[in-house]
């Protein structure tokens, strides 16, 4: 029973550590705010600034996974090139070394003395609204150190238990010989454990606990550290499965960089390990009972982790373009048109990051939603042109097939718009359950309003397509040349409004002049009123039939409604309250 209680204590301390690391990372990201995203998007002019950017961003948020996922998302959105992303990921590998030193501190210093004062101060700050994020940060650090302290104490208790100590030691003694296969075993173990736990920091803590208690030889711990470097790349690759080809390549480059690093580290292991031991002043043959062994062992692992990632980045930074070619050769683009299927590009992974990052992902999805709706309107314009040039509607006629195919695509896009609204709203609802800043809450409210209006744009496009289909299938006369001119002019104005909307969605609202969209809207309203009056006159003068005039005005009215929805989207993004 005591052994089982010790095992559960180990698992519980590991859970505390992971929760503390997550809470600390989230608080740091909230404190950094949108500045991190602007830095990541702006400071990547060349491979070296990209590397420094990845390094500092990762050091700031204490999560290489968060940096990598942001980078993959930026590539997916076209905000970063693949070449820039690879250099940022390399920098993230250096930034994440600070985490290993935090772990080492937990095994080197009696940190439990600081845990409870941190909890006490943290709860006071949490109840102070303006200092709540700092309180969250202190709570995260306290949980992290509490988990580390408990893990260390439980590890020593496990070693002091004769039966448990003998069972653990006998298992690892089977792999004591420094053979290639034994090294490979610990390398794969580190990889698999990191993949399962989805936290290289947690596995690093376990590795330090095993090494500092003398259960695991330092050589074996080093191989676990190398395995963790490969395992940590899996998260980005899982997320990128649903992304576009460039994002999948960026995630795969993350794996390639670490895999190449492990290969050269294995080849140069003996001199490299000797250098680390010399720097730390550690004797690999030192007994685990010797004074200062635990401190030195944890420092060796942290130093090796830092030296490996720094050396690996510096060695490969000059070959970024070749890594890009390799990942492009391995991951080839799909032949199918991805736009034709419903697929959220940014928020389908299910691996939830911090609320702040989740809102960023949702904003990118709304931007893509907006872009798709303008694409749908372009199809409606094309459908109108197709209907005017088609002379025969017999089955098997090429022009008739083209028209039906285009109409089917518009129908598909209408379903896509419905699904996108529902899925983004569900995602925002999940994000809204977390503790959010007032600014983030207002962004979520604005996005919910945006997606509702964007879905209405999709409905308006579909209504226009149905009107064109009704005209196409009827035996009535065609629109007159003048009617076509009026419709094309109205559609041109509507397209201008959509373009303005997408410029806002893809840029920053500070530089957007909302008067441009209001001017277009006024022009559309005036033009619609003018055409409505003229239509009544033309029908009375028998220029065309009442039925043709009805379909004609349906198209004009839908364009005017669509422009209203565009204005609503723009006002939501600009933070203007709905009238």
């Amino acid at each position: 029973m005591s052994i089982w209680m010790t095992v559960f204590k180990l698992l519980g301390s590991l859970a505390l550590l992971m929760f503390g690391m997550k809470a600390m990372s989230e608080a740091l990201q909230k404190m950094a705010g949108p500045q991190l995203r602007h830095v990541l998007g702006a400071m990547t002019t060349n491979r070296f600034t990209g590397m420094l950017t990845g390094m500092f961003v990762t050091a700031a948020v204490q999560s290489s996974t968060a940096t990598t996922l942001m980078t993959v998302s930026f590539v997916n959105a076209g905000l970063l090139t693949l070449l820039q992303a690879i250099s940022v990921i390399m920098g993230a590998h250096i930034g994440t070394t600070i985490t290993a030193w935090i772990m080492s501190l937990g095994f080197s210093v009696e940190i439990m003395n600081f845990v409870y004062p941190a909890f006490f101060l943290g709860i006071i700050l949490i109840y102070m609204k303006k200092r709540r994020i700092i309180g969250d940060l202190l709570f995260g650090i306290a949980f992290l150190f509490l988990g580390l302290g408990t893990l260390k104490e439980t590890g020593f208790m496990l070693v002091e238990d004769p039966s448990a100590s003998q069972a653990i030691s006998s298992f690892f003694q089977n792999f004591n010989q420094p053979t290639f296969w034994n090294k490979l075993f610990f390398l794969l173990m580190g990889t698999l454990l990191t993949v399962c736990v989805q936290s290289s920091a947690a596995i690093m803590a376990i590795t330090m606990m095993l090494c500092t208690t003398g259960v695991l030889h330092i050589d074996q711990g080093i191989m676990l550290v190398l395995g963790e470097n490969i395992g940590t790349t899996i998260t980005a690759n899982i997320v990128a499965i649903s992304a576009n080809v460039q994002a999948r390549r960026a995630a795969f480059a993350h794996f390639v960089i670490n895999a190449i690093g492990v290969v050269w580290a294995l080849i140069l292991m003996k001199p490299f390990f000797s250098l680390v031991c010399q720097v730390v002043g550690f004797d690999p043959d030192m007994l685990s009972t010797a004074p200062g062994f635990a401190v030195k062992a944890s420092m060796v692992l942290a130093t090796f982790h830092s030296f490996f990632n720094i050396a690996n980045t510096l060695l490969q930074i000059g070959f970024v373009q070749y890594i890009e070619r390799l990942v492009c050769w391995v991951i080839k683009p799909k032949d199918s048109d991805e736009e034709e299927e419903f697929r959220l590009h940014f928020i389908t992974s299910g691996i939830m990051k911090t609320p702040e990052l989740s809102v960023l992902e949702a904003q990118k999805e709304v931007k893509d939603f907006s872009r798709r709706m303008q694409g749908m309107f372009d199809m409606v314009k094309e459908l109108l042109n197709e209907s005017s040039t088609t002379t025969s509607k017999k089955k098997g006629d090429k022009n008739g097939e083209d028209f039906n195919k285009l109409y089917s695509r518009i129908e598909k896009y209408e379903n896509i718009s419905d699904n996108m609204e529902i899925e983004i709203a569900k995602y925002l609802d999940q994000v809204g359950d977390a503790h959010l800043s007032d600014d983030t809450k207002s962004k979520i409210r604005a996005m919910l309003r945006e997606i509702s209006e964007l879905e209405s744009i999709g409905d308006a496009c579909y209504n226009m397509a149905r009107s064109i289909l009704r005209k196409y299938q009827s035996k009535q006369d065609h629109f007159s040349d003048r009617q076509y001119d009026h419709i094309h002019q109205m559609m041109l104005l509507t397209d201008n409004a959509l373009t303005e909307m997408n410029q806002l969605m893809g840029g920053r609202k500070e530089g957007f002049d909302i008067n441009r969209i209001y001017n277009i809207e006024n022009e559309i309203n005036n033009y619609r009123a003018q055409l409505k009056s003229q239509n009544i006159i033309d029908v009375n003068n028998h220029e065309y039939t009442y039925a043709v005039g009805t379909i004609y005005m349906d198209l004009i009215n839908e364009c005017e409604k669509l422009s209203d929805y565009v204005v609503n989207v723009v006002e939501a993004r600009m933070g203007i309250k709905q009238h």
Side-chain angles (χ1 to χ4, degrees):
M1 180 62 70
S2 62
I3 293 175
W4 279 110
M5 287 304 295
T6 305
V7 170
F8 281 122
K9 198 170 181 181
L10 277 172
L11 293 174
S13 59
L14 189 62
L16 273 175
L17 184 148
M18 291 172 66
F19 177 78
M21 200 72 199
K22 182 175 181 292
M24 185 178 74
S25 176
E26 288 180 356
L28 285 167
Q29 289 179 57
K30 286 177 186 176
M31 290 171 71
Q35 287 80 9
L36 280 180
R37 300 194 290 270
H38 297 323
V39 167
L40 197 59
M43 290 183 62
T44 52
T45 52
N46 60 59
R47 69 187 70 177
F48 296 104
T49 57
M51 180 190 73
L52 291 173
T53 301
M55 183 174 70
F56 287 122
V57 169
T58 305
V61 300
Q62 274 304 292
S63 174
S64 61
T65 300
T67 305
T68 305
L69 294 182
M70 267 198 289
T71 304
V72 169
S73 296
F74 276 29
V75 174
N76 199 21
L79 301 177
L80 285 179
T81 66
L82 181 58
L83 204 65
Q84 290 172 323
I86 293 172
S87 62
V88 171
I89 289 168
M90 285 182 173
H93 292 160
I94 298 177
T96 194
T97 59
I98 296 176
T99 305
W101 285 104
I102 293 174
M103 300 295 167
S104 177
L105 180 67
F107 286 92
S108 306
V109 181
E110 191 55 53
I111 54 172
M112 294 296 282
N113 296 331
F114 304 99
V115 167
Y116 297 104
F119 274 129
F120 178 70
L121 183 58
I123 196 66
I124 293 174
L125 292 173
I126 283 174
Y127 280 101
M128 295 170 61
K129 192 173 182 182
K130 291 184 178 179
R131 299 285 184 270
R132 180 160 190 168
I133 295 176
I134 299 174
D136 290 340
L137 175 63
L138 279 176
F139 251 67
I141 293 171
F143 273 118
L144 171 64
F145 284 154
L146 179 61
L148 278 173
T150 311
L151 191 67
K152 181 173 72 172
E153 290 174 6
T154 311
F156 281 111
M157 284 173 54
L158 198 62
V159 171
E160 289 168 4
D161 188 311
S163 58
S165 177
Q166 187 177 358
I168 296 170
S169 298
S170 60
F171 172 77
F172 285 115
Q173 279 174 1
N174 296 325
F175 307 96
N176 270 347
Q177 295 300 318
T179 63
F180 171 78
W181 295 110
N182 285 346
K183 289 180 179 179
L184 184 63
F185 171 77
F186 283 101
L187 181 72
L188 292 175
M189 181 186 285
T191 303
L192 291 173
L193 285 173
T194 308
V195 170
C196 293
V197 178
Q198 284 292 302
S199 172
S200 59
I203 306 304
M204 174 64 82
I206 292 175
T207 305
M208 285 186 177
M209 185 267 289
L210 292 172
C211 288
T212 53
T213 53
V215 171
L216 196 66
H217 194 270
I218 198 72
D219 291 346
Q220 297 166 332
I222 291 295
M223 296 310 299
L224 283 176
V225 171
L226 287 178
E228 291 156 16
N229 275 274
I230 296 178
T232 194
T233 65
I234 303 301
T235 303
N237 280 276
I238 292 172
V239 171
I241 288 173
S242 62
N244 63 29
V245 66
Q246 288 295 86
R248 292 198 300 274
R249 286 168 175 170
F252 184 62
H254 186 27
F255 168 78
V256 168
I257 292 163
N258 278 7
I260 292 172
V262 168
V263 170
W264 71 253
L266 288 173
I267 295 171
L268 302 175
M269 178 56 70
K270 196 168 182 179
F272 193 56
F273 179 55
S274 298
L275 173 65
V276 172
C277 290
Q278 188 177 348
V279 170
V280 177
F282 177 79
D283 182 3
D285 298 323
M286 183 189 296
L287 295 175
S288 60
T289 54
F293 174 82
V295 175
K296 289 288 179 70
S298 63
M299 285 185 67
V300 166
L301 292 173
T303 305
F304 178 86
H305 187 254
S306 297
F307 277 25
F308 167 74
N309 281 290
I310 293 169
N312 189 40
T313 298
L314 295 178
L315 284 171
Q316 295 190 55
I317 193 68
F319 301 95
V320 170
Q321 66 270 34
Y322 298 106
I323 296 172
E324 181 190 32
R325 290 178 192 174
L326 173 63
V327 297
C328 289
W329 177 74
V330 173
I331 300 179
K332 294 181 170 60
K334 294 180 180 178
D335 295 330
S336 60
D337 183 7
E338 295 181 347
E339 290 293 314
E340 294 303 309
E341 300 299 330
F342 167 64
R343 179 171 61 82
L344 296 178
H345 292 79
F346 304 100
I347 60 176
T348 55
S349 65
I351 299 176
M352 205 72 162
K353 297 165 281 297
T354 69
E356 307 297 326
L357 276 179
S358 300
V359 168
L360 172 66
E361 303 301 279
Q363 282 180 329
K364 293 175 187 172
E365 205 66 72
V366 175
K367 174 187 170 184
D368 184 60
F369 192 0
S370 175
R371 180 184 58 80
R372 283 193 180 208
M373 290 305 95
Q374 185 164 16
M376 186 178 180
F377 184 72
D378 289 339
M379 291 181 205
V380 173
K381 292 191 294 181
E382 190 180 343
L383 189 74
L384 179 66
N385 293 334
E386 190 67 37
S387 69
S388 65
T389 55
T390 301
T391 55
S392 174
K393 296 183 278 261
K394 293 180 182 178
K395 190 176 179 181
D397 179 73
K398 184 180 182 304
N399 287 331
E401 287 179 3
D402 290 344
F403 180 91
N404 292 330
K405 190 182 293 183
L406 190 55
Y407 182 80
S408 296
R409 286 183 69 197
I410 294 171
E411 272 189 318
K412 189 178 287 187
Y413 263 66
E414 204 277 330
N415 290 327
I416 287 173
S417 70
D418 291 343
N419 289 330
M420 288 190 80
E421 181 194 19
I422 292 168
E423 294 303 320
I424 296 172
K426 280 182 184 176
Y427 184 78
L428 290 173
D429 187 51
Q430 291 174 5
V431 176
D433 290 337
H435 163 58
L436 302 170
S437 63
D438 292 338
D439 181 54
T440 303
K441 287 178 182 176
S442 66
K443 284 179 183 176
I444 289 177
R445 285 194 297 270
M447 280 189 282
L448 287 170
R449 184 176 156 197
E450 287 164 16
I451 60 174
S452 174
E453 299 297 340
L454 286 169
E455 193 276 332
S456 296
I457 290 175
D459 288 343
C461 289
Y462 183 52
N463 289 338
M464 280 189 271
R466 289 170 61 190
S467 295
I468 295 169
L469 176 68
R470 195 165 75 250
K471 175 71 185 66
Y472 175 76
Q473 291 177 335
S474 70
K475 299 184 186 294
Q476 303 293 331
D477 295 332
H478 291 293
F479 290 137
S480 67
D481 291 341
R482 194 173 60 165
Q483 282 179 309
Y484 274 121
D485 289 342
H486 293 159
I487 296 171
H488 287 144
Q489 179 61 28
M490 179 62 90
M491 285 187 167
L492 177 62
L493 291 170
T494 308
D495 194 48
N496 289 342
L498 286 165
T499 301
E500 289 290 331
M501 177 186 76
N502 276 303
Q503 283 179 354
L504 172 63
M505 302 300 275
R508 300 185 67 177
K509 61 184 182 182
E510 290 81 5
F512 183 79
D513 183 7
I514 197 170
N515 289 321
R516 290 201 302 266
I517 200 76
Y518 287 149
N519 290 338
I520 295 172
E521 167 67 5
N522 288 333
E523 193 174 351
I524 288 173
N525 289 341
N526 293 334
Y527 195 47
R528 192 276 303 262
Q530 176 189 334
L531 293 179
K532 185 178 180 180
S533 300
Q534 186 63 45
N535 178 65
I536 295 172
I537 296 170
D538 290 343
V539 169
N540 288 334
N541 292 337
H542 304 292
E543 297 284 339
Y544 42 79
T545 63
Y546 181 83
V548 170
T550 301
I551 296 174
Y552 164 66
M553 283 311 300
D554 283 346
L555 291 174
I556 299 298
N557 288 328
E558 286 298 335
C559 281
E560 192 275 331
K561 287 181 187 176
L562 195 153
S563 67
D564 288 340
Y565 302 139
V566 169
V567 171
N568 292 340
V569 172
V570 170
E571 288 182 340
R573 176 54 61 97
M574 295 293 288
I576 299 172
K577 290 185 178 181
Q578 203 164 7
H579 300 301

